Structures are given as structure tokens and as C-alpha cells.
Amino acid sequence: MRSNLSIRLLNILYSGKFVYTILLFLIIISLFRFHSFLMYKEEKNVFDLLLFSFHDFFHVFFLSSLIYLISIFPFTTFRSFDQYAMIKFASRAKWFYTSVISIGIATLLFVLASAFICILESLLTLKFENRWSEYGAAVYDFLLKYNDIKPSTLVLFSLLLVYLFFLTLGITFFVANLIVQNNVISFIITLGFNVISIVIYLSKITFFYPFTFTYHVLVGKMGSSFYSHFVQSIIYWGMVLTLLFFIGISRVKKMDFSWRQS
């Protein structure tokens, strides 16, 4: 029942125009990335394009994350469904679970849509070969030197980590809104966490790297101990999401829902 209600929540939250607008933004930035990708002369394939898009620092942590947060904005502005869910479940906790599941589904659709756009772009220009191309072998030379991994596997790992990163941003946005009860401030707080992570990563202070979002997203930077780093990243995202979950559930049990009706 909870998953059905989550899907119903998504259907109510997202109008067709809003979805098309988000898709348009994704297509525009993807086309720019695709153009930049084609500038490289080496032989390439579709997996190279996917890694090029989901492993790019600026693309993931600036452009895509901003568009993603905009796509999650309806979760912090919607009102009437809250009361319906409260009556349906007779529990604030179950309302929170439903919202989190809905954010998870919306995040998954966002990541899959981004990947699907890349695949569509490559249909007539790139090969679908699960092998390291000349371009891929050059870019990920250090990683491949110490790790036996297929391009498709690296793409799946990359998509999973990007998904967990976006999901963390989305739930941070949602939980922050439960606490401060202001959409704009919540948006700024969420961006702030992302910016702090970026600044630390760019500062070259390696001691703090394991605590940043960026350290646990970019698979190409994981180096010789890729698999252990990947497992560490999964644990990291699990801990962050668990912390956000407990903060959110603690807050929602105490909050007054009347502010969402104003």
C-alpha cells in the first residue's frame, strides 16, 4: 500500500509541464556534454559517453545537482496530499516513509532519464560494445592497471553512486524543510552542504576527503583499490542516509502540520 501511495504522490506532485521542463533542461545540458565528448578524436563507445557524463565533476555537482534539486522542489511545496496521507495512514511516521520512498522513486527516474538521453544521443554515432575503447583505456588507464572491470560494470557502479548522491541531496532538502519550514532556506541549506563538499574536495586537504560527497561519487578517481573504495562509498551513503532518516523521523513526530496549509 505504501508503494502505491508513493506512486500516487508522484502522480499528483508532478504536472506534465513540470516534467517536460526538467527533461528539456536535461536534454540541453546533455547535448552540450555530447558535443564536448565528440571533440575527442580517439575511438569511443556508448559506455565512454555515460562515464564521461556521470564522472564529470562540473556536470554532476553543479549542473545536474541543481536541476535535480529543482525537480524535487514539489515535495517541499505540496500541501493537500499531506492531510490525505495522514488520514490514510493515521501516522506521521508512515507519511514520512511514503514521502521518502517517493523521493527515492523520483530520484531513480531522474538518473535513468539522464542515462537514457545519453544512450539516445549515441545511437547513430557510437558503438554498443562492452569493451574498453581507445578513449576509455586512456582516460581510466590508472584504474584499469590495478582493477579488472568491464565498462558496463563501471557504468552501473557510477550510476548507483550518482543515484545515492542525488538521493542524499533530495532527502536533505526534504528534512531541512521539515526543520526550518521554509522552501527557499531549505534549498540554500542543501546547496550549502554540496558546496562545502566541493570546496573541501578542491582544497586538496586529503584528510577531509573521505567525509565529502565528491569523494564517494567519482568512480574514476578511486584508483588502485577500486572495489574497496566502492564498498566504503556504499557504507558512507548508507550512514548518511540513515542519519538523515532518523533526523527526519524525529522531527516529523514533533512538528505541526498546519504550516504546510498556509
Side-chain angles (χ1 to χ4, degrees):
M1 178 185 296
R2 193 174 299 161
S3 60
N4 291 336
L5 195 56
S6 297
I7 294 173
R8 173 168 165 72
L9 174 57
L10 290 174
N11 289 332
I12 296 175
L13 282 177
Y14 290 99
S15 66
K17 289 183 179 179
F18 186 79
V19 172
Y20 295 146
T21 301
I22 295 299
L23 286 175
L24 178 61
F25 279 124
L26 287 177
I27 291 171
I28 291 173
I29 66 170
S30 184
L31 285 174
F32 277 106
R33 295 296 302 158
F34 187 54
H35 175 72
S36 300
F37 177 71
L38 292 179
M39 298 296 289
Y40 293 94
K41 303 300 182 182
E42 296 88 350
E43 176 238 350
K44 303 176 286 290
N45 59 42
V46 65
F47 296 105
D48 295 324
L49 175 60
L50 288 166
L51 289 172
F52 181 78
S53 297
F54 290 97
H55 183 256
D56 182 77
F57 182 85
F58 180 78
H59 180 76
V60 173
F61 293 101
F62 287 91
L63 293 179
S64 294
S65 61
L66 182 59
I67 295 174
Y68 169 75
L69 285 177
I70 294 173
S71 75
I72 293 297
F73 211 86
F75 282 96
T76 66
T77 58
F78 193 65
R79 295 173 173 80
S80 60
F81 189 84
D82 297 334
Q83 295 301 317
Y84 167 76
M86 290 291 290
I87 295 172
K88 186 77 174 179
F89 286 137
S91 167
R92 293 170 182 263
K94 290 182 179 179
W95 169 84
F96 178 78
Y97 300 151
T98 301
S99 298
V100 168
I101 292 172
S102 299
I103 292 173
I105 296 173
T107 305
L108 178 62
L109 293 175
F110 181 88
V111 173
L112 291 179
S114 301
F116 186 65
I117 290 170
C118 288
I119 293 173
L120 285 179
E121 290 172 335
S122 63
L123 284 178
L124 299 178
T125 54
L126 300 174
K127 296 179 180 179
F128 284 78
E129 296 179 341
N130 190 21
R131 64 173 182 82
W132 289 106
S133 65
E134 180 183 347
Y135 169 86
V139 172
Y140 301 102
D141 174 64
F142 183 74
L143 185 148
L144 297 176
K145 184 177 180 180
Y146 298 97
N147 302 277
D148 182 17
I149 186 169
K150 294 288 187 180
S152 58
T153 304
L154 191 62
V155 167
L156 289 175
F157 284 173
S158 179
L159 290 176
L160 175 58
L161 293 179
V162 169
Y163 169 78
L164 292 173
F165 165 63
F166 285 151
L167 180 61
T168 299
L169 287 184
I171 295 180
T172 299
F173 189 12
F174 180 61
V175 171
N177 197 50
L178 294 178
I179 296 173
V180 302
Q181 301 180 4
N182 184 289
N183 303 325
V184 176
I185 294 177
S186 303
F187 187 81
I188 294 173
I189 289 173
T190 307
L191 283 179
F193 279 114
N194 192 33
V195 169
I196 290 172
S197 178
I198 291 171
V199 170
I200 293 175
Y201 187 79
L202 294 178
S203 69
K204 306 299 182 182
I205 305 176
T206 55
F207 175 79
F208 294 105
Y209 276 10
F211 303 100
T212 65
F213 293 163
T214 48
Y215 183 79
H216 297 286
V217 175
L218 303 178
V219 292
K221 303 291 186 181
M222 293 185 176
S224 58
S225 55
F226 172 79
Y227 289 103
S228 61
H229 191 154
F230 177 76
V231 172
Q232 178 187 347
S233 296
I234 295 297
I235 295 173
Y236 170 85
W237 291 119
M239 292 175 62
V240 172
L241 288 169
T242 300
L243 177 61
L244 288 171
F245 182 85
F246 279 111
I247 293 174
I249 201 67
S250 299
R251 171 56 183 161
V252 81
K253 288 180 179 179
K254 301 175 183 178
M255 67 182 291
D256 179 9
F257 272 76
S258 61
W259 69 276
R260 292 176 70 88
Q261 301 300 314
S262 59

